[in-house]
Amino acid sequence: ALATGGAIVAGLAVWWISIRGSIGEARSFNQVERYSAELGDFVSRDPRHGLEAFVLLGWLTPLLAILGVAVRRDRLGLTLGLGAAIPCLVALGANLPGFRTFWRHTPGLHSTRVPERLMPIACLAIAALAAFAVSRLHWRAAPSLALLLVALDLRLDVTAVRPTAADEGNRAYAAVDAAPLGRLLELPVRTPDRQEASVYLYYAMQAQRQRPAGYSTVAPTEVLRVLHELQPCPDVRDLGDLGVRLLAVHGRARCGVPGRLLARDGRIALYEAYIPIAW
């Protein structure tokens, strides 16, 4: 109960934290609408509305959680029930009547865009309630049978998440250390609100060079403005003003910027761009 209550308080506290002047502060409700789940997403194994809206709970665990609330008619049961219900309601986001007003006028909440991020709290509470329900069955094999049924209900045929091999030691990024001085820009340019930008963050661990872009959603709004100006293809003069000299091209997104090929590994190529440097 303490762990769940603490998680709820921590989750709500995040809502109240608004980083002034950051990309997160500039979000609109259109982003919330994009990531909001629907009721069918709680039982669907197909991420119809994208990975962020994927909130599969199955059929059995919610039913067991309801039984758990019924058998624990005390403060603990109420706390866990609220811990399960509130995040599930919030996950509906724009599909929940009145959520737009609540989102707009709650300090800190208007800086969020993915209402499903509180679902881990619900999962903890549902698991505890389900355990209470099963514990009332005076049958030695009840826990084992419950685990089997839950495993079948949440069987691993979900296609939302699949393992991807990490591209460790990419030769193109390994060449950054010996490359000329200057900042590095990945192409195509991705803004921090796109999950594809996390790929660039992964390669940043291999090649630690200053970049005008990144994945942080708490960067100043000026960063977002610059990234939008660099899309879809950056201008050579803009790259010079930013001190960019290296281009890490993913796929065929070089955008016609003149330069010298330094290294290539698979679909990634490193170029030294022929642009002026502003330091």
Side-chain angles (χ1 to χ4, degrees):
L2 290 176
T4 303
I8 295 174
V9 172
L12 294 176
V14 171
W15 286 3
W16 289 82
I17 299 174
S18 178
I19 302 177
R20 302 296 179 182
S22 71
I23 292 174
E25 188 183 26
R27 287 170 176 155
S28 66
F29 194 74
N30 290 335
Q31 293 175 305
V32 179
E33 292 176 327
R34 174 182 176 183
Y35 294 113
S36 296
E38 296 182 358
L39 285 175
D41 293 321
F42 286 95
V43 294
S44 174
R45 287 178 167 78
D46 178 23
R48 302 169 296 170
H49 306 105
L51 185 59
E52 293 285 9
F54 186 69
V55 287
L56 173 65
L57 292 178
W59 292 95
L60 182 59
T61 50
L63 292 176
L64 288 175
I66 294 174
L67 291 176
V69 174
V71 300
R72 289 296 301 242
R73 299 178 181 179
D74 54 14
R75 293 181 179 179
L76 177 57
L78 177 62
T79 300
L80 293 174
L82 292 175
I86 292 176
C88 289
L89 290 174
V90 171
L92 296 174
N95 297 313
L96 182 68
F99 187 79
R100 177 191 285 268
T101 302
F102 182 62
W103 180 87
R104 189 178 303 278
H105 296 288
T106 302
L109 183 59
H110 61 272
S111 298
T112 63
R113 66 189 177 112
V114 185
E116 293 84 357
R117 297 275 172 94
L118 290 179
M119 282 303 295
I121 300 174
C123 292
L124 290 173
I126 289 174
L129 290 170
F132 286 138
V134 174
S135 67
R136 290 302 180 94
L137 299 176
H138 302 291
W139 184 31
R140 182 173 299 179
S144 299
L145 179 60
L147 287 174
L148 177 61
L149 293 176
V150 169
L152 291 175
D153 187 33
L154 301 175
R155 58 189 181 277
L156 301 179
D157 60 353
V158 176
T159 60
V161 180
R162 293 184 298 272
T164 301
D167 185 21
E168 297 178 320
N170 184 277
R171 291 189 296 273
Y173 276 96
V176 171
D177 288 341
L181 294 178
R183 294 189 174 98
L184 170 69
L185 178 69
E186 276 102 351
L187 296 178
V189 176
R190 307 286 191 186
T191 55
D193 62 337
R194 299 296 301 171
Q195 64 184 16
E196 294 91 340
S198 61
V199 175
Y200 300 158
L201 183 65
Y202 170 77
Y203 285 113
M205 296 188 296
Q206 297 185 27
Q208 299 182 8
R209 183 72 66 99
Q210 285 188 348
R211 293 163 165 80
Y215 188 70
S216 175
T217 55
V218 296
T221 53
E222 177 69 10
V223 174
L224 188 61
R225 182 189 65 80
V226 170
L227 294 182
H228 281 307
E229 291 179 352
L230 293 175
Q231 293 177 325
C233 288
D235 185 88
V236 173
R237 290 170 297 181
D238 293 335
L239 296 182
D241 292 339
L242 293 171
V244 173
R245 191 170 182 181
L246 300 176
L247 298 175
V249 179
H250 293 242
R252 300 180 179 179
R254 187 177 172 185
C255 293
V257 177
R260 176 172 64 96
L261 178 64
L262 299 178
R264 181 185 296 276
D265 190 347
R267 293 175 52 83
I268 302 176
L270 181 69
Y271 288 89
E272 177 189 3
Y274 297 148
I275 52 180
I277 305 298
W279 289 99

